[in-house]
Amino acid sequence: PTHIETYIHRTGRTARAGTIGTAITLCSAQQLQPFDRLINELNMGKHVRHYQATEILHGSFTLDSEI
């Protein structure tokens, strides 16, 4: 999403009724820079991890539960 409100609404669906959830956003190389700007505007940079597609496809990544 290009608008903060839309991104918050969509990712907010990962956690309902006060529960904790993990949102995974897939970006192409062209979308990564605008996505990073959006995350920085939300002051959420410390909560974001970047993974390469090969890491995801091969299962060589883990979700950090402390993010």
Side-chain angles (χ1 to χ4, degrees):
T2 55
H3 301 299
I4 291 174
E5 294 82 13
T6 304
Y7 184 75
I8 290 171
H9 175 73
R10 289 183 185 174
T11 57
R13 294 183 175 275
T14 63
R16 289 287 186 215
T19 61
I20 296 173
T22 299
I24 298 174
T25 303
L26 303 176
C27 296
S28 69
Q30 295 80 16
Q31 295 168 324
L32 189 55
Q33 193 172 26
F35 174 73
D36 282 340
R37 279 196 304 268
L38 183 73
I39 292 304
N40 287 332
E41 285 183 46
L42 292 170
N43 198 25
M44 294 187 64
K46 66 180 180 179
H47 301 287
V48 174
R49 300 288 183 263
H50 292 119
Y51 298 99
Q52 295 294 319
T54 54
E55 293 175 281
I56 296 168
L57 292 172
H58 294 35
S60 59
F61 76 101
T62 57
L63 295 176
D64 186 350
S65 62
E66 295 183 22
I67 294 180

